[in-house]
Amino acid sequence: KNQVEQSPQSLIILEGKNCTLQCNYTVSPFSNLRWYKQDTGRGPVSLTIMTFSENTKSNGRYTATLDADTKQSSLHITASQLSDSASYICVVSGRGNTPLVFGKGTRLSVIA
Amino acid sequence: EPEVTQTPSHQVTQMGQEVILRCVPISNHLYFYWYRQILGQKVEFLVSFYNNEISEKSEIFDDQFSVERPDGSNFTLKIRSTKLEDSAMYFCASSEVRLNTGELFFGEGSRLTVL
């Protein structure tokens, strides 16, 4: 069964600190992996999309990595800000028209 | 910046009533989707729509649900007879190309509360 598992479920960090969120997936055949940021009560907003051939991709203070062999991805947030407080969702796309598979997300809280 | 817009932002309805949620996808996008997210749970796929017909649907999307694109700009989700368990945030999304290659843009959601 195609699944996406994320860890940790929630995380609290101090402003200015770095953190890394994890994603493991079983979706096959694989097409791409996405990380979304979802503020409470809002729609998800795309941070990165990575295909099979990409190992790392950055978007400002967000850096995503992908290991397609072990089916793992991480999202690293550098120098966290209060506005980074949100849920971060890992989403995997299979090939063809198969629907996206969503993880449950990691709830990040950045505190002063 | 182009965006997906949804209305209403919040709707409260009585169980058994019909609800229509509306979406205006990004203008040059060809693929449209509805997702839902029950409070505290993950985003779930409902249906995808391309070329004026449903291309994929999930087990959630039963006979109580329907979608249409009545006028070339709006994309609607209708729930014929709402149940308590339909209470959720409903997200519309659109993409320019197929999802295995393209970016997916979400609207801000319509919160449905069924009493």
Side-chain angles (χ1 to χ4, degrees):
Chain A
K1 184 179 178 182
N2 289 330
Q3 288 187 314
V4 175
E5 301 290 339
Q6 292 187 243
S7 62
Q9 185 175 355
S10 62
L11 183 62
I12 301 174
I13 62 172
L14 291 174
E15 186 180 13
K17 298 297 186 182
N18 304 334
C19 67
T20 300
L21 314 179
Q22 302 292 342
C23 173
N24 297 325
Y25 62 92
T26 60
V27 178
S28 183
F30 171 84
S31 177
N32 58 66
L33 184 145
R34 307 151 188 254
W35 283 94
Y36 284 87
K37 178 185 179 187
Q38 185 180 26
D39 293 316
T40 301
R42 309 288 295 274
V45 175
S46 180
L47 297 175
T48 63
I49 300 177
M50 287 186 294
T51 60
F52 183 88
S53 59
E54 294 175 295
N55 298 120
T56 185
K57 190 168 246 187
S58 291
N59 177 2
R61 294 180 296 103
Y62 301 103
T63 299
T65 66
L66 173 65
D67 185 334
D69 291 330
T70 61
K71 299 185 178 179
Q72 295 179 325
S73 176
S74 66
L75 180 69
H76 186 76
I77 304 175
T78 304
S80 60
Q81 299 175 359
L82 297 178
S83 58
D84 292 333
S85 295
S87 285
Y88 291 84
I89 306 173
C90 177
V91 184
V92 180
S93 173
R95 293 185 195 156
N97 274 331
T98 56
L100 299 180
V101 183
F102 286 73
K104 290 184 178 180
T106 292
R107 178 72 204 170
L108 174 66
S109 298
V110 181
I111 59 175
Chain B
E1 185 175 328
E3 59 182 14
V4 176
T5 59
Q6 291 186 240
T7 56
S9 56
H10 190 190
Q11 181 156 355
V12 180
T13 189
Q14 294 291 326
M15 189 170 57
Q17 294 297 303
E18 177 183 282
V19 162
I20 297 176
L21 306 179
R22 291 181 169 80
C23 169
V24 178
I26 295 173
S27 60
N28 63 329
H29 285 189
L30 301 177
Y31 297 81
F32 315 117
Y33 312 85
W34 282 101
Y35 292 86
R36 80 171 185 190
Q37 187 175 32
I38 295 170
L39 186 63
Q41 298 188 23
K42 66 179 179 180
V43 175
E44 299 174 291
F45 169 75
L46 292 179
V47 66
S48 59
F49 192 86
Y50 169 71
N51 200 26
N52 285 320
E53 62 182 23
I54 291 173
S55 47
E56 295 282 339
K57 61 181 181 179
S58 71
E59 293 176 349
I60 303 167
F61 194 87
D62 61 22
D63 292 343
Q64 293 299 313
F65 290 87
S66 62
V67 289
E68 70 175 351
R69 196 151 187 253
D71 57 12
S73 61
N74 288 287
F75 178 51
T76 63
L77 174 69
K78 181 190 292 186
I79 309 174
R80 186 176 307 126
S81 177
T82 50
K83 303 186 287 287
L84 295 176
E85 54 265 38
D86 293 329
S87 295
M89 184 76 97
Y90 288 81
F91 292 107
C92 176
S94 69
S95 62
E96 189 174 1
V97 295
R98 279 169 51 170
L99 272 187
N100 56 343
T101 55
E103 181 79 68
L104 182 66
F105 295 85
F106 285 87
E108 292 290 11
S110 292
R111 180 171 297 283
L112 176 63
T113 301
V114 182
L115 304 177

